[in-house]
PDB file of all heavy atoms in Angstrom:
ATOM      1  N   GLU G  24      -2.461   6.949  -1.269  1.00 96.00           N
ATOM      2  CA  GLU G  24      -1.771   6.038  -2.184  1.00 96.00           C
ATOM      3  C   GLU G  24      -0.934   5.001  -1.445  1.00 96.00           C
ATOM      4  O   GLU G  24      -0.690   3.917  -1.964  1.00 96.00           O
ATOM      5  CB  GLU G  24      -0.851   6.842  -3.111  1.00 96.00           C
ATOM      6  CG  GLU G  24      -1.564   7.878  -3.961  1.00 96.00           C
ATOM      7  CD  GLU G  24      -0.578   8.781  -4.700  1.00 96.00           C
ATOM      8  OE1 GLU G  24       0.638   8.451  -4.723  1.00 96.00           O
ATOM      9  OE2 GLU G  24      -1.015   9.801  -5.241  1.00 96.00           O
ATOM     10  N   GLY G  25      -0.441   5.357  -0.246  1.00 95.00           N
ATOM     11  CA  GLY G  25       0.634   4.615   0.398  1.00 95.00           C
ATOM     12  C   GLY G  25       1.939   5.355   0.168  1.00 95.00           C
ATOM     13  O   GLY G  25       2.034   6.252  -0.673  1.00 95.00           O
ATOM     14  N   GLY G  26       2.973   5.025   0.936  1.00 94.00           N
ATOM     15  CA  GLY G  26       4.251   5.730   0.791  1.00 94.00           C
ATOM     16  C   GLY G  26       4.131   7.172   1.225  1.00 94.00           C
ATOM     17  O   GLY G  26       3.551   7.484   2.253  1.00 94.00           O
ATOM     18  N   ARG G  27       4.652   8.101   0.405  1.00 93.00           N
ATOM     19  CA  ARG G  27       4.690   9.507   0.836  1.00 93.00           C
ATOM     20  C   ARG G  27       3.359  10.225   0.679  1.00 93.00           C
ATOM     21  O   ARG G  27       3.180  11.313   1.223  1.00 93.00           O
ATOM     22  CB  ARG G  27       5.806  10.266   0.113  1.00 93.00           C
ATOM     23  CG  ARG G  27       5.750  10.220  -1.399  1.00 93.00           C
ATOM     24  CD  ARG G  27       7.074  10.735  -1.975  1.00 93.00           C
ATOM     25  NE  ARG G  27       7.343  10.220  -3.295  1.00 93.00           N
ATOM     26  CZ  ARG G  27       7.334  10.955  -4.396  1.00 93.00           C
ATOM     27  NH1 ARG G  27       7.032  12.238  -4.331  1.00 93.00           N
ATOM     28  NH2 ARG G  27       7.616  10.412  -5.565  1.00 93.00           N
ATOM     29  N   VAL G  28       2.410   9.653  -0.063  1.00 93.00           N
ATOM     30  CA  VAL G  28       1.064  10.225  -0.137  1.00 93.00           C
ATOM     31  C   VAL G  28       0.171   9.380   0.767  1.00 93.00           C
ATOM     32  O   VAL G  28      -0.455   8.401   0.343  1.00 93.00           O
ATOM     33  CB  VAL G  28       0.542  10.261  -1.585  1.00 93.00           C
ATOM     34  CG1 VAL G  28      -0.849  10.897  -1.630  1.00 93.00           C
ATOM     35  CG2 VAL G  28       1.508  11.049  -2.469  1.00 93.00           C
ATOM     36  N   HIS G  29       0.157   9.745   2.058  1.00 94.00           N
ATOM     37  CA  HIS G  29      -0.416   8.897   3.097  1.00 94.00           C
ATOM     38  C   HIS G  29      -1.087   9.787   4.138  1.00 94.00           C
ATOM     39  O   HIS G  29      -0.422  10.384   4.977  1.00 94.00           O
ATOM     40  CB  HIS G  29       0.709   8.078   3.752  1.00 94.00           C
ATOM     41  CG  HIS G  29       0.271   6.783   4.338  1.00 94.00           C
ATOM     42  ND1 HIS G  29      -0.634   6.672   5.376  1.00 94.00           N
ATOM     43  CD2 HIS G  29       0.618   5.506   4.015  1.00 94.00           C
ATOM     44  CE1 HIS G  29      -0.811   5.393   5.667  1.00 94.00           C
ATOM     45  NE2 HIS G  29      -0.070   4.666   4.856  1.00 94.00           N
ATOM     46  N   ARG G  30      -2.401   9.914   4.067  1.00 95.00           N
ATOM     47  CA  ARG G  30      -3.112  10.879   4.914  1.00 95.00           C
ATOM     48  C   ARG G  30      -3.442  10.331   6.306  1.00 95.00           C
ATOM     49  O   ARG G  30      -3.613  11.106   7.238  1.00 95.00           O
ATOM     50  CB  ARG G  30      -4.413  11.318   4.235  1.00 95.00           C
ATOM     51  CG  ARG G  30      -4.271  11.721   2.783  1.00 95.00           C
ATOM     52  CD  ARG G  30      -3.254  12.820   2.566  1.00 95.00           C
ATOM     53  NE  ARG G  30      -3.174  13.187   1.161  1.00 95.00           N
ATOM     54  CZ  ARG G  30      -2.277  13.994   0.644  1.00 95.00           C
ATOM     55  NH1 ARG G  30      -1.340  14.528   1.419  1.00 95.00           N
ATOM     56  NH2 ARG G  30      -2.277  14.284  -0.640  1.00 95.00           N
ATOM     57  N   LEU G  31      -3.584   9.027   6.443  1.00 96.00           N
ATOM     58  CA  LEU G  31      -3.978   8.434   7.719  1.00 96.00           C
ATOM     59  C   LEU G  31      -2.737   7.964   8.480  1.00 96.00           C
ATOM     60  O   LEU G  31      -1.995   7.099   7.997  1.00 96.00           O
ATOM     61  CB  LEU G  31      -4.932   7.254   7.505  1.00 96.00           C
ATOM     62  CG  LEU G  31      -6.423   7.605   7.316  1.00 96.00           C
ATOM     63  CD1 LEU G  31      -6.642   8.417   6.051  1.00 96.00           C
ATOM     64  CD2 LEU G  31      -7.255   6.331   7.282  1.00 96.00           C
ATOM     65  N   LYS G  32      -2.528   8.549   9.644  1.00 92.00           N
ATOM     66  CA  LYS G  32      -1.363   8.220  10.472  1.00 92.00           C
ATOM     67  C   LYS G  32      -1.712   7.098  11.453  1.00 92.00           C
ATOM     68  O   LYS G  32      -2.865   6.692  11.572  1.00 92.00           O
ATOM     69  CB  LYS G  32      -0.911   9.468  11.224  1.00 92.00           C
ATOM     70  CG  LYS G  32      -0.688  10.691  10.338  1.00 92.00           C
ATOM     71  CD  LYS G  32       0.256  10.421   9.191  1.00 92.00           C
ATOM     72  CE  LYS G  32       0.474  11.653   8.329  1.00 92.00           C
ATOM     73  NZ  LYS G  32       1.217  11.329   7.083  1.00 92.00           N
ATOM     74  N   PRO G  33      -0.711   6.563  12.180  1.00 92.00           N
ATOM     75  CA  PRO G  33      -1.012   5.534  13.180  1.00 92.00           C
ATOM     76  C   PRO G  33      -2.097   6.014  14.137  1.00 92.00           C
ATOM     77  O   PRO G  33      -2.166   7.209  14.432  1.00 92.00           O
ATOM     78  CB  PRO G  33       0.335   5.358  13.900  1.00 92.00           C
ATOM     79  CG  PRO G  33       1.364   5.779  12.893  1.00 92.00           C
ATOM     80  CD  PRO G  33       0.713   6.881  12.108  1.00 92.00           C
ATOM     81  N   PRO G  34      -2.991   5.139  14.585  1.00 93.00           N
ATOM     82  CA  PRO G  34      -2.929   3.672  14.545  1.00 93.00           C
ATOM     83  C   PRO G  34      -3.393   3.034  13.236  1.00 93.00           C
ATOM     84  O   PRO G  34      -3.472   1.810  13.145  1.00 93.00           O
ATOM     85  CB  PRO G  34      -3.885   3.276  15.675  1.00 93.00           C
ATOM     86  CG  PRO G  34      -4.947   4.325  15.640  1.00 93.00           C
ATOM     87  CD  PRO G  34      -4.205   5.599  15.330  1.00 93.00           C
ATOM     88  N   PHE G  35      -3.732   3.838  12.229  1.00 96.00           N
ATOM     89  CA  PHE G  35      -4.073   3.238  10.941  1.00 96.00           C
ATOM     90  C   PHE G  35      -2.834   2.582  10.337  1.00 96.00           C
ATOM     91  O   PHE G  35      -1.697   2.983  10.606  1.00 96.00           O
ATOM     92  CB  PHE G  35      -4.626   4.301   9.993  1.00 96.00           C
ATOM     93  CG  PHE G  35      -5.970   4.852  10.408  1.00 96.00           C
ATOM     94  CD1 PHE G  35      -6.064   6.057  11.074  1.00 96.00           C
ATOM     95  CD2 PHE G  35      -7.125   4.134  10.149  1.00 96.00           C
ATOM     96  CE1 PHE G  35      -7.287   6.559  11.466  1.00 96.00           C
ATOM     97  CE2 PHE G  35      -8.363   4.622  10.538  1.00 96.00           C
ATOM     98  CZ  PHE G  35      -8.452   5.838  11.200  1.00 96.00           C
ATOM     99  N   THR G  36      -3.059   1.593   9.505  1.00 97.00           N
ATOM    100  CA  THR G  36      -1.962   0.890   8.845  1.00 97.00           C
ATOM    101  C   THR G  36      -1.131   1.862   8.021  1.00 97.00           C
ATOM    102  O   THR G  36      -1.668   2.737   7.346  1.00 97.00           O
ATOM    103  CB  THR G  36      -2.520  -0.210   7.919  1.00 97.00           C
ATOM    104  OG1 THR G  36      -3.365  -1.068   8.672  1.00 97.00           O
ATOM    105  CG2 THR G  36      -1.401  -1.020   7.282  1.00 97.00           C
ATOM    106  N   GLN G  37       0.186   1.703   8.087  1.00 96.00           N
ATOM    107  CA  GLN G  37       1.094   2.524   7.286  1.00 96.00           C
ATOM    108  C   GLN G  37       1.513   1.727   6.045  1.00 96.00           C
ATOM    109  O   GLN G  37       2.334   0.828   6.119  1.00 96.00           O
ATOM    110  CB  GLN G  37       2.299   2.944   8.129  1.00 96.00           C
ATOM    111  CG  GLN G  37       1.911   3.758   9.363  1.00 96.00           C
ATOM    112  CD  GLN G  37       1.101   5.001   9.005  1.00 96.00           C
ATOM    113  OE1 GLN G  37       1.658   5.971   8.489  1.00 96.00           O
ATOM    114  NE2 GLN G  37      -0.200   4.996   9.271  1.00 96.00           N
ATOM    115  N   TRP G  38       0.893   2.057   4.930  1.00 97.00           N
ATOM    116  CA  TRP G  38       1.049   1.279   3.708  1.00 97.00           C
ATOM    117  C   TRP G  38       2.299   1.704   2.935  1.00 97.00           C
ATOM    118  O   TRP G  38       2.637   2.884   2.892  1.00 97.00           O
ATOM    119  CB  TRP G  38      -0.179   1.449   2.821  1.00 97.00           C
ATOM    120  CG  TRP G  38      -1.447   1.061   3.516  1.00 97.00           C
ATOM    121  CD1 TRP G  38      -2.318   1.886   4.166  1.00 97.00           C
ATOM    122  CD2 TRP G  38      -1.969  -0.264   3.657  1.00 97.00           C
ATOM    123  NE1 TRP G  38      -3.355   1.170   4.706  1.00 97.00           N
ATOM    124  CE2 TRP G  38      -3.173  -0.160   4.403  1.00 97.00           C
ATOM    125  CE3 TRP G  38      -1.551  -1.523   3.222  1.00 97.00           C
ATOM    126  CZ2 TRP G  38      -3.947  -1.261   4.729  1.00 97.00           C
ATOM    127  CZ3 TRP G  38      -2.325  -2.619   3.530  1.00 97.00           C
ATOM    128  CH2 TRP G  38      -3.505  -2.491   4.276  1.00 97.00           C
ATOM    129  N   PRO G  39       2.976   0.762   2.293  1.00 96.00           N
ATOM    130  CA  PRO G  39       4.163   1.119   1.495  1.00 96.00           C
ATOM    131  C   PRO G  39       3.772   1.790   0.181  1.00 96.00           C
ATOM    132  O   PRO G  39       2.606   1.777  -0.220  1.00 96.00           O
ATOM    133  CB  PRO G  39       4.807  -0.251   1.226  1.00 96.00           C
ATOM    134  CG  PRO G  39       3.663  -1.213   1.246  1.00 96.00           C
ATOM    135  CD  PRO G  39       2.709  -0.687   2.293  1.00 96.00           C
ATOM    136  N   ALA G  40       4.758   2.382  -0.469  1.00 97.00           N
ATOM    137  CA  ALA G  40       4.541   3.013  -1.770  1.00 97.00           C
ATOM    138  C   ALA G  40       4.278   1.946  -2.835  1.00 97.00           C
ATOM    139  O   ALA G  40       4.714   0.794  -2.712  1.00 97.00           O
ATOM    140  CB  ALA G  40       5.760   3.839  -2.150  1.00 97.00           C
ATOM    141  N   LEU G  41       3.590   2.360  -3.896  1.00 96.00           N
ATOM    142  CA  LEU G  41       3.297   1.418  -4.985  1.00 96.00           C
ATOM    143  C   LEU G  41       4.571   0.869  -5.621  1.00 96.00           C
ATOM    144  O   LEU G  41       4.573  -0.250  -6.142  1.00 96.00           O
ATOM    145  CB  LEU G  41       2.449   2.095  -6.068  1.00 96.00           C
ATOM    146  CG  LEU G  41       0.980   2.375  -5.773  1.00 96.00           C
ATOM    147  CD1 LEU G  41       0.270   2.788  -7.050  1.00 96.00           C
ATOM    148  CD2 LEU G  41       0.295   1.169  -5.161  1.00 96.00           C
ATOM    149  N   GLY G  42       5.641   1.668  -5.588  1.00 96.00           N
ATOM    150  CA  GLY G  42       6.886   1.183  -6.165  1.00 96.00           C
ATOM    151  C   GLY G  42       7.347  -0.126  -5.558  1.00 96.00           C
ATOM    152  O   GLY G  42       7.963  -0.955  -6.237  1.00 96.00           O
ATOM    153  N   ASN G  43       7.057  -0.357  -4.284  1.00 97.00           N
ATOM    154  CA  ASN G  43       7.411  -1.622  -3.636  1.00 97.00           C
ATOM    155  C   ASN G  43       6.660  -2.789  -4.271  1.00 97.00           C
ATOM    156  O   ASN G  43       7.201  -3.895  -4.387  1.00 97.00           O
ATOM    157  CB  ASN G  43       7.079  -1.565  -2.142  1.00 97.00           C
ATOM    158  CG  ASN G  43       7.929  -0.571  -1.389  1.00 97.00           C
ATOM    159  OD1 ASN G  43       8.103   0.552  -1.831  1.00 97.00           O
ATOM    160  ND2 ASN G  43       8.458  -0.959  -0.243  1.00 97.00           N
ATOM    161  N   LEU G  44       5.407  -2.539  -4.656  1.00 97.00           N
ATOM    162  CA  LEU G  44       4.631  -3.594  -5.301  1.00 97.00           C
ATOM    163  C   LEU G  44       5.233  -3.960  -6.656  1.00 97.00           C
ATOM    164  O   LEU G  44       5.218  -5.124  -7.061  1.00 97.00           O
ATOM    165  CB  LEU G  44       3.176  -3.156  -5.494  1.00 97.00           C
ATOM    166  CG  LEU G  44       2.385  -2.863  -4.217  1.00 97.00           C
ATOM    167  CD1 LEU G  44       0.980  -2.393  -4.571  1.00 97.00           C
ATOM    168  CD2 LEU G  44       2.321  -4.088  -3.311  1.00 97.00           C
ATOM    169  N   GLY G  45       5.766  -2.962  -7.337  1.00 96.00           N
ATOM    170  CA  GLY G  45       6.409  -3.244  -8.617  1.00 96.00           C
ATOM    171  C   GLY G  45       7.649  -4.090  -8.468  1.00 96.00           C
ATOM    172  O   GLY G  45       7.948  -4.921  -9.329  1.00 96.00           O
ATOM    173  N   VAL G  46       8.378  -3.877  -7.374  1.00 96.00           N
ATOM    174  CA  VAL G  46       9.577  -4.693  -7.130  1.00 96.00           C
ATOM    175  C   VAL G  46       9.187  -6.143  -6.861  1.00 96.00           C
ATOM    176  O   VAL G  46       9.804  -7.083  -7.379  1.00 96.00           O
ATOM    177  CB  VAL G  46      10.381  -4.112  -5.940  1.00 96.00           C
ATOM    178  CG1 VAL G  46      11.521  -5.051  -5.562  1.00 96.00           C
ATOM    179  CG2 VAL G  46      10.916  -2.725  -6.287  1.00 96.00           C
ATOM    180  N   ILE G  47       8.131  -6.338  -6.067  1.00 97.00           N
ATOM    181  CA  ILE G  47       7.631  -7.700  -5.809  1.00 97.00           C
ATOM    182  C   ILE G  47       7.065  -8.293  -7.087  1.00 97.00           C
ATOM    183  O   ILE G  47       7.247  -9.485  -7.384  1.00 97.00           O
ATOM    184  CB  ILE G  47       6.559  -7.668  -4.701  1.00 97.00           C
ATOM    185  CG1 ILE G  47       7.164  -7.153  -3.397  1.00 97.00           C
ATOM    186  CG2 ILE G  47       5.935  -9.044  -4.494  1.00 97.00           C
ATOM    187  CD1 ILE G  47       6.142  -6.840  -2.323  1.00 97.00           C
ATOM    188  N   ASP G  48       6.341  -7.451  -7.852  1.00 97.00           N
ATOM    189  CA  ASP G  48       5.815  -7.787  -9.180  1.00 97.00           C
ATOM    190  C   ASP G  48       4.911  -9.008  -9.173  1.00 97.00           C
ATOM    191  O   ASP G  48       5.049  -9.910 -10.000  1.00 97.00           O
ATOM    192  CB  ASP G  48       6.960  -7.973 -10.183  1.00 97.00           C
ATOM    193  CG  ASP G  48       6.474  -7.812 -11.631  1.00 97.00           C
ATOM    194  OD1 ASP G  48       5.406  -7.211 -11.835  1.00 97.00           O
ATOM    195  OD2 ASP G  48       7.168  -8.319 -12.539  1.00 97.00           O
ATOM    196  N   ASN G  49       3.971  -9.013  -8.222  1.00 98.00           N
ATOM    197  CA  ASN G  49       2.972 -10.082  -8.165  1.00 98.00           C
ATOM    198  C   ASN G  49       1.593  -9.419  -8.099  1.00 98.00           C
ATOM    199  O   ASN G  49       1.226  -8.867  -7.060  1.00 98.00           O
ATOM    200  CB  ASN G  49       3.224 -10.958  -6.929  1.00 98.00           C
ATOM    201  CG  ASN G  49       2.275 -12.140  -6.853  1.00 98.00           C
ATOM    202  OD1 ASN G  49       1.112 -12.055  -7.252  1.00 98.00           O
ATOM    203  ND2 ASN G  49       2.767 -13.257  -6.324  1.00 98.00           N
ATOM    204  N   PRO G  50       0.817  -9.467  -9.193  1.00 98.00           N
ATOM    205  CA  PRO G  50      -0.480  -8.793  -9.202  1.00 98.00           C
ATOM    206  C   PRO G  50      -1.433  -9.261  -8.108  1.00 98.00           C
ATOM    207  O   PRO G  50      -2.279  -8.483  -7.662  1.00 98.00           O
ATOM    208  CB  PRO G  50      -1.031  -9.113 -10.593  1.00 98.00           C
ATOM    209  CG  PRO G  50       0.170  -9.365 -11.434  1.00 98.00           C
ATOM    210  CD  PRO G  50       1.153 -10.036 -10.513  1.00 98.00           C
ATOM    211  N   THR G  51      -1.298 -10.506  -7.668  1.00 98.00           N
ATOM    212  CA  THR G  51      -2.162 -10.985  -6.585  1.00 98.00           C
ATOM    213  C   THR G  51      -1.895 -10.196  -5.303  1.00 98.00           C
ATOM    214  O   THR G  51      -2.829  -9.842  -4.566  1.00 98.00           O
ATOM    215  CB  THR G  51      -1.926 -12.488  -6.333  1.00 98.00           C
ATOM    216  OG1 THR G  51      -2.208 -13.212  -7.533  1.00 98.00           O
ATOM    217  CG2 THR G  51      -2.821 -13.001  -5.210  1.00 98.00           C
ATOM    218  N   ILE G  52      -0.632  -9.904  -5.041  1.00 98.00           N
ATOM    219  CA  ILE G  52      -0.289  -9.089  -3.870  1.00 98.00           C
ATOM    220  C   ILE G  52      -0.835  -7.671  -4.038  1.00 98.00           C
ATOM    221  O   ILE G  52      -1.358  -7.077  -3.094  1.00 98.00           O
ATOM    222  CB  ILE G  52       1.229  -9.095  -3.639  1.00 98.00           C
ATOM    223  CG1 ILE G  52       1.688 -10.495  -3.204  1.00 98.00           C
ATOM    224  CG2 ILE G  52       1.645  -8.045  -2.606  1.00 98.00           C
ATOM    225  CD1 ILE G  52       3.178 -10.647  -3.048  1.00 98.00           C
ATOM    226  N   SER G  53      -0.733  -7.124  -5.248  1.00 98.00           N
ATOM    227  CA  SER G  53      -1.271  -5.777  -5.500  1.00 98.00           C
ATOM    228  C   SER G  53      -2.774  -5.741  -5.266  1.00 98.00           C
ATOM    229  O   SER G  53      -3.309  -4.777  -4.703  1.00 98.00           O
ATOM    230  CB  SER G  53      -0.947  -5.330  -6.923  1.00 98.00           C
ATOM    231  OG  SER G  53       0.448  -5.172  -7.088  1.00 98.00           O
ATOM    232  N   TYR G  54      -3.460  -6.784  -5.690  1.00 98.00           N
ATOM    233  CA  TYR G  54      -4.913  -6.868  -5.465  1.00 98.00           C
ATOM    234  C   TYR G  54      -5.228  -6.853  -3.964  1.00 98.00           C
ATOM    235  O   TYR G  54      -6.092  -6.093  -3.508  1.00 98.00           O
ATOM    236  CB  TYR G  54      -5.451  -8.144  -6.107  1.00 98.00           C
ATOM    237  CG  TYR G  54      -6.871  -8.491  -5.685  1.00 98.00           C
ATOM    238  CD1 TYR G  54      -7.967  -7.885  -6.279  1.00 98.00           C
ATOM    239  CD2 TYR G  54      -7.105  -9.426  -4.674  1.00 98.00           C
ATOM    240  CE1 TYR G  54      -9.265  -8.188  -5.895  1.00 98.00           C
ATOM    241  CE2 TYR G  54      -8.392  -9.738  -4.277  1.00 98.00           C
ATOM    242  CZ  TYR G  54      -9.467  -9.124  -4.893  1.00 98.00           C
ATOM    243  OH  TYR G  54     -10.746  -9.429  -4.487  1.00 98.00           O
ATOM    244  N   HIS G  55      -4.518  -7.666  -3.202  1.00 98.00           N
ATOM    245  CA  HIS G  55      -4.785  -7.747  -1.763  1.00 98.00           C
ATOM    246  C   HIS G  55      -4.348  -6.469  -1.040  1.00 98.00           C
ATOM    247  O   HIS G  55      -4.967  -6.088  -0.034  1.00 98.00           O
ATOM    248  CB  HIS G  55      -4.117  -8.986  -1.166  1.00 98.00           C
ATOM    249  CG  HIS G  55      -4.822 -10.259  -1.529  1.00 98.00           C
ATOM    250  ND1 HIS G  55      -6.072 -10.578  -1.053  1.00 98.00           N
ATOM    251  CD2 HIS G  55      -4.456 -11.281  -2.355  1.00 98.00           C
ATOM    252  CE1 HIS G  55      -6.452 -11.750  -1.555  1.00 98.00           C
ATOM    253  NE2 HIS G  55      -5.487 -12.191  -2.341  1.00 98.00           N
ATOM    254  N   PHE G  56      -3.306  -5.808  -1.545  1.00 98.00           N
ATOM    255  CA  PHE G  56      -2.886  -4.508  -1.003  1.00 98.00           C
ATOM    256  C   PHE G  56      -4.035  -3.502  -1.113  1.00 98.00           C
ATOM    257  O   PHE G  56      -4.419  -2.849  -0.132  1.00 98.00           O
ATOM    258  CB  PHE G  56      -1.663  -4.014  -1.785  1.00 98.00           C
ATOM    259  CG  PHE G  56      -1.292  -2.572  -1.567  1.00 98.00           C
ATOM    260  CD1 PHE G  56      -0.414  -2.204  -0.567  1.00 98.00           C
ATOM    261  CD2 PHE G  56      -1.807  -1.573  -2.399  1.00 98.00           C
ATOM    262  CE1 PHE G  56      -0.054  -0.866  -0.379  1.00 98.00           C
ATOM    263  CE2 PHE G  56      -1.461  -0.241  -2.216  1.00 98.00           C
ATOM    264  CZ  PHE G  56      -0.585   0.111  -1.201  1.00 98.00           C
ATOM    265  N   ALA G  57      -4.591  -3.367  -2.311  1.00 98.00           N
ATOM    266  CA  ALA G  57      -5.673  -2.399  -2.527  1.00 98.00           C
ATOM    267  C   ALA G  57      -6.928  -2.801  -1.762  1.00 98.00           C
ATOM    268  O   ALA G  57      -7.611  -1.947  -1.181  1.00 98.00           O
ATOM    269  CB  ALA G  57      -5.973  -2.286  -4.019  1.00 98.00           C
ATOM    270  N   LYS G  58      -7.220  -4.088  -1.729  1.00 98.00           N
ATOM    271  CA  LYS G  58      -8.415  -4.554  -1.012  1.00 98.00           C
ATOM    272  C   LYS G  58      -8.281  -4.283   0.491  1.00 98.00           C
ATOM    273  O   LYS G  58      -9.231  -3.792   1.133  1.00 98.00           O
ATOM    274  CB  LYS G  58      -8.629  -6.046  -1.255  1.00 98.00           C
ATOM    275  CG  LYS G  58      -9.875  -6.594  -0.562  1.00 98.00           C
ATOM    276  CD  LYS G  58     -10.018  -8.089  -0.797  1.00 98.00           C
ATOM    277  CE  LYS G  58     -11.174  -8.671   0.008  1.00 98.00           C
ATOM    278  NZ  LYS G  58     -11.257 -10.141  -0.122  1.00 98.00           N
TER     279      LYS G  58
END
């Protein structure tokens, strides 16, 4: 998911929690996050 549910450790990207996307509140960013 990102955040605390994060199975892939470095060197893989460490993704933020979805809650951060809600704070930014821009669906275009959410789309690019998931992509």
Side-chain angles (χ1 to χ4, degrees):
E24 300 171 12
R27 56 193 155 111
V28 182
H29 207 298
R30 312 304 181 188
L31 277 64
K32 308 306 180 189
F35 292 99
T36 305
Q37 300 304 286
W38 303 96
L41 287 191
N43 294 46
L44 298 178
V46 173
I47 298 169
D48 201 20
N49 184 326
T51 301
I52 292 176
S53 294
Y54 167 81
H55 286 291
F56 167 90
K58 181 182 174 185

